[in-house]
Amino acid sequence: LKHRSRPTLPSTGLPCPEPAAMDSQEAQNQIAQMISFIASEAKDRASEIQKKGEEEFSIEVHRLITEQKEKIRGTFEKQAKTVETQYAIAKSMAVNKMRLEKIKARQEVMNQIEADVRPNLVKEGQNAAFITKLIVQGMLMLLENEVVVRCRQADAKLVNGCLGAAQTEYTNLIKTETGASKTCTLSIDTLFLKEGCLGGVALGCFGGKITIDNTVDIRLRLTMEQAKPAIRALLFPSA
């Protein structure tokens, strides 16, 4: 083995002194410092990681809570709206039901009034003066020279006895109202009204192409319709 020469100092040419050996305690101190520094750095880094993790966790928890709140709020609002709609429908149906029941009750009263009046009108249908007026009214609406009068078969004799008086009254009314002289020939129709009706007459001309229904049933129906507001006001003042 070759002996390695020691370096020399340039100024003197003498060999450089060897470095002093590091004692054991100093080395241990440096190692301890390094360990402490590394541990401190690791602790700080771990703390930063933990803090960041906690922040991210808190943000995620807040997001989830907010999301669930919105979901619950949306579900509640939807359920509340459904309940409100069902309540509105139920209320509307109840109001309509009450309204219909009230209308039905009023109509039943009106029907009862009509039913109570019918017996009196049956008697009136046998009154010659009343029948004569019904015939004259129909003649004034037609204003024709020949008119056929239809009645119930049971009333044929009564109505036939009213034709002459009706013709005379018609002529006199035309003369009084217009000054014109006009006559009309009446005859009993070969067809008859239904026996179920209250009586009265129906008039026609031109082979039945033009007709006037002046039966007691029609007159009652028209009277009830015209008098309905007054009857309702009398019977149901608070309505």
Side-chain angles (χ1 to χ4, degrees):
L1 294 176
K2 293 183 178 180
H3 177 73
R4 184 178 177 183
S5 61
R6 292 172 57 188
T8 60
L9 294 173
S11 58
T12 61
L14 296 174
C16 293
E18 291 185 1
M22 182 182 296
D23 71 10
S24 175
Q25 186 62 40
E26 187 177 356
Q28 289 294 326
N29 289 339
Q30 286 186 356
I31 291 171
Q33 288 178 0
M34 292 177 64
I35 291 173
S36 176
F37 175 78
I38 293 171
S40 177
E41 286 291 321
K43 185 177 180 181
D44 292 342
R45 182 61 180 162
S47 179
E48 290 177 3
I49 292 172
Q50 183 179 2
K51 184 178 179 181
K52 185 177 180 181
E54 288 175 352
E55 290 177 353
E56 291 177 351
F57 175 76
S58 178
I59 292 171
E60 182 64 16
V61 168
H62 180 72
R63 184 188 69 79
L64 290 173
I65 291 174
T66 303
E67 187 178 283
Q68 290 301 314
K69 280 183 179 179
E70 291 298 322
K71 186 176 180 180
I72 293 170
R73 185 180 290 111
T75 302
F76 174 77
E77 289 176 354
K78 186 177 180 180
Q79 291 175 346
K81 189 173 181 181
T82 300
V83 171
E84 288 177 359
T85 302
Q86 291 175 345
Y87 172 76
I89 292 172
K91 183 179 179 181
S92 177
M93 290 178 66
V95 170
N96 288 338
K97 185 178 179 181
M98 289 179 61
R99 222 175 259 163
L100 291 173
E101 288 177 351
K102 187 180 290 186
I103 292 172
K104 183 180 177 182
R106 289 179 184 173
Q107 189 58 45
E108 287 175 353
V109 172
M110 298 296 291
N111 292 341
Q112 187 59 48
I113 291 173
E114 184 175 338
D116 293 341
V117 170
R118 289 179 74 86
N120 296 327
L121 294 177
V122 170
K123 296 178 182 179
E124 193 66 24
Q126 301 302 309
N127 186 320
F130 178 67
I131 294 297
T132 300
K133 289 180 180 179
L134 292 179
I135 295 172
V136 172
Q137 286 177 353
M139 294 169 71
L140 290 171
M141 285 186 276
L142 292 173
L143 294 174
E144 295 297 332
N145 296 328
E146 294 183 0
V147 174
V148 176
V149 180
R150 182 178 298 179
C151 62
R152 296 186 305 178
Q153 189 171 8
D155 298 335
K157 185 177 180 179
L158 171 66
V159 174
N160 191 53
C162 297
L163 298 185
Q167 290 175 162
T168 301
E169 187 174 343
Y170 170 76
T171 300
N172 292 337
L173 281 172
I174 294 293
K175 185 69 174 179
T176 301
E177 296 297 327
T178 66
S181 297
K182 186 172 179 60
T183 59
C184 176
T185 302
L186 297 173
S187 61
I188 298 294
D189 198 347
T190 56
L191 299 176
F192 298 98
L193 298 174
K194 293 179 179 180
E195 290 299 325
C197 73
L198 296 173
V201 294
L203 292 80
C205 57
F206 300 111
K209 293 180 180 178
I210 301 176
T211 60
I212 297 295
D213 191 340
N214 215 14
T215 58
V216 176
D217 303 75
I218 289 295
R219 298 305 297 267
L220 174 60
R221 194 178 307 160
L222 290 174
T223 301
M224 290 297 295
E225 283 297 323
Q226 292 170 359
K228 193 177 287 185
I231 295 173
R232 282 179 177 171
L234 182 64
L235 296 177
F236 315 108
S238 61

